[in-house]
Amino acid sequence: MANREKNKKTLLELAKLPENSCCADCGAADPDWASYTLGIFVCLNCSGTHRNLSTISRIKSIRLDFWDDELVQFMKSNGNRAAKNFYEKYVPVFYYQPQPDDCEVLREQWIRAKYERKEFTEEKTERPYTAGVYEGMLWKKGKDNGQFLERKFVLSVHDFTLKYYKEDESKGPKATISVKGLNATFQPEKIGHAHGLQITYSVDDHTRNLFVYHKNGWEIVNWFNAIRAIRHVYLKTAFPTLIPWITRSYLKEGYMEKTGPLQREPFKKRWFILDSLDRKLLYFKTQLDAIELGVVFIGSENHGYSVRECVPKGTRGNKWKCGVIVETPDRQFVFMCEQERDQREWVEALKTVISKPMMPRNKP
């Protein structure tokens, strides 16, 4: 019993070392689990994927399970830093490394890429998402009927485009999308599929969304990293300062009610997306609409923009009572949130954008 407590104490001390104090795979703080075959400390969420790799990784709780002396010594001799130096030695700069709040498919495929496929242990490993051309079938949501149908997609570094085709490829692509303004972000809950990916781009100053998925997790993450790879090549030449935003998650999304410019029009429920890089508050009729209904540019405080909570009086048609007012040099926008929590989150998110100075590329 004394030896068991001693080993537990040793493990807890190892987990507090700076190099082990965050999950080896997603960076979550204070990991309580460990792979005693890989010698790493991981969080609860990532431990689930490790359990599915039983021939490679075996998991124990550092607090609840029994550890014998040999396994504790192995953990002492290894740890997260040693594993990172080996398994992540040649991770491409564009490859997305998951954060604690990211969806399951990103964490799972990152873990499998490192320990199962060992994609990053050798410098010249052939990787499908670095070939310059990536093509295959994805299930795409129809613009009008909402059904998901298989469509062929082709991503090419030669002309920096993403194309997709309908059934008859001889008629040419249904759309040719420049990677200049292309963005991709995982949206499993919104799309209703664990591998759901939202692809966003601009057409004639309007924002267009494509909602796609693939039944295979490895394939959809390869698509995501192929998009990041071609965006990295493009930005490295054209806009090197934007490389940190190869792809980006949106700062805030959700429903609010919106009224018109006179503030006497009835409020209508709309789905809003706040894009902090382009400083745009986009709104759609529903969360799966292909094209936005409108956009509000969010400038900086120095340019006369501000946001605050409010309880507007004399409004018509609003079911929700938690108000948000955005002041711009040209107009006052009034939005209504369902809950006070939503109201606070929107105000905080908008303040984050307004507090940042505008870049030369930002324009109303």
Side-chain angles (χ1 to χ4, degrees):
M1 188 68 179
N3 192 51
R4 176 172 182 163
E5 289 302 314
K6 176 187 173 184
N7 284 343
K8 178 181 176 180
K9 181 181 178 183
T10 301
L11 287 167
L12 291 173
E13 290 174 349
L14 287 173
K16 290 179 181 178
L17 294 175
E19 60 267 32
N20 298 325
S21 61
C22 294
C23 173
D25 297 320
C26 76
D30 305 319
D32 278 340
W33 299 81
S35 169
Y36 60 85
T37 51
L38 296 172
I40 57 174
F41 294 87
V42 298
C43 69
L44 176 62
N45 286 335
C46 291
S47 73
T49 298
H50 281 269
R51 290 184 189 280
N52 293 328
L53 304 176
S54 56
T55 58
I56 298 168
S57 182
R58 304 302 292 270
I59 291 288
K60 281 179 179 283
S61 167
I62 63 174
R63 296 181 182 276
L64 304 176
D65 290 329
F66 173 78
W67 289 74
D68 60 33
D69 295 345
E70 184 180 352
L71 294 182
V72 173
Q73 186 57 46
F74 181 76
M75 297 300 298
K76 272 186 176 182
S77 302
N78 290 276
N80 291 4
R81 180 183 295 166
K84 182 180 181 68
N85 291 340
F86 178 72
Y87 290 106
E88 300 179 28
K89 188 172 184 179
Y90 296 108
V91 178
V93 292
F94 62 79
Y95 194 98
Y96 186 80
Q97 300 181 35
Q99 305 301 306
D101 294 332
D102 278 320
C103 61
E104 183 178 351
V105 70
L106 275 172
R107 289 198 310 271
E108 178 191 359
Q109 292 306 317
W110 168 239
I111 291 168
R112 289 185 179 276
K114 286 199 293 181
Y115 310 117
E116 186 177 57
R117 300 192 290 269
K118 295 184 179 178
E119 289 184 20
F120 316 120
T121 56
E122 296 181 14
E123 187 172 11
K124 296 184 179 180
T125 300
E126 287 293 326
R127 306 180 183 98
Y129 43 81
T130 59
V133 176
Y134 198 85
E135 63 179 78
M137 305 299 289
L138 292 171
W139 290 83
K140 174 189 169 292
K141 178 182 174 292
K143 179 181 175 182
D144 299 319
N145 59 19
Q147 292 183 328
F148 281 85
L149 299 172
E150 263 194 312
R151 295 288 182 256
K152 181 179 180 180
F153 283 74
V154 178
L155 180 68
S156 175
V157 75
H158 304 304
D159 57 0
F160 291 114
T161 62
L162 173 67
K163 300 183 177 83
Y164 75 88
Y165 299 79
K166 296 189 76 172
E167 297 90 338
D168 188 356
E169 294 180 27
S170 65
K171 295 182 178 180
K174 173 68 174 175
T176 299
I177 303 163
S178 168
V179 305
K180 178 181 178 180
L182 191 66
N183 188 44
T185 179
F186 277 93
Q187 297 278 11
E189 293 184 7
K190 181 194 290 188
I191 295 172
H193 194 283
H195 306 156
L197 187 69
Q198 177 177 333
I199 298 172
T200 304
Y201 60 99
S202 296
V203 179
D204 300 328
D205 293 327
H206 286 281
T207 297
R208 176 73 194 271
N209 291 321
L210 299 179
F211 301 100
V212 300
Y213 70 84
H214 197 282
K215 295 177 181 179
N216 183 286
W218 182 23
E219 182 68 12
I220 196 66
V221 173
N222 277 349
W223 268 106
F224 181 58
N225 281 303
I227 290 171
R228 288 178 59 84
I230 191 172
R231 283 269 299 163
H232 181 261
V233 174
Y234 176 80
L235 292 175
K236 191 166 57 174
T237 303
F239 302 99
T241 59
L242 295 183
I243 285 178
W245 294 277
I246 295 175
T247 60
R248 61 197 185 276
S249 297
Y250 298 115
L251 188 57
K252 173 75 177 164
E253 293 190 51
Y255 280 110
M256 290 192 289
E257 292 180 331
K258 176 187 178 296
T259 186
L262 300 178
Q263 298 182 16
R264 291 193 293 268
E265 300 89 341
F267 278 79
K268 294 181 180 179
K269 185 179 176 181
R270 297 290 183 250
W271 180 264
F272 286 83
I273 295 176
L274 180 58
D275 183 346
S276 59
L277 179 63
D278 288 338
R279 309 186 75 105
K280 290 179 178 180
L281 181 63
L282 305 156
Y283 57 94
F284 303 78
K285 188 173 182 179
T286 72
Q287 60 182 340
L288 291 179
D289 276 8
I291 302 175
E292 105 274 341
L293 294 175
V295 59
V296 180
F297 181 79
I298 307 296
S300 68
E301 189 174 6
N302 292 339
H303 288 80
Y305 291 80
S306 64
V307 61
R308 68 180 188 275
E309 297 179 7
C310 68
V311 183
K313 297 178 181 179
T315 55
R316 297 195 307 119
N318 54 302
K319 295 179 180 178
W320 298 341
K321 307 300 180 185
C322 303
V324 174
I325 288 182
V326 175
E327 298 279 2
T328 78
D330 303 318
R331 178 181 162 186
Q332 182 187 78
F333 291 87
V334 179
F335 309 106
M336 291 292 189
C337 302
E338 184 176 17
Q339 306 287 341
E340 289 184 1
R341 176 182 175 183
D342 299 325
Q343 180 190 45
R344 289 194 300 270
E345 289 178 354
W346 275 112
V347 169
E348 289 172 7
L350 287 160
K351 281 184 176 178
T352 298
V353 178
I354 291 171
S355 66
K356 293 180 179 178
M358 291 170 57
M359 295 187 292
R361 64 184 297 273
N362 295 136
K363 60 180 180 177

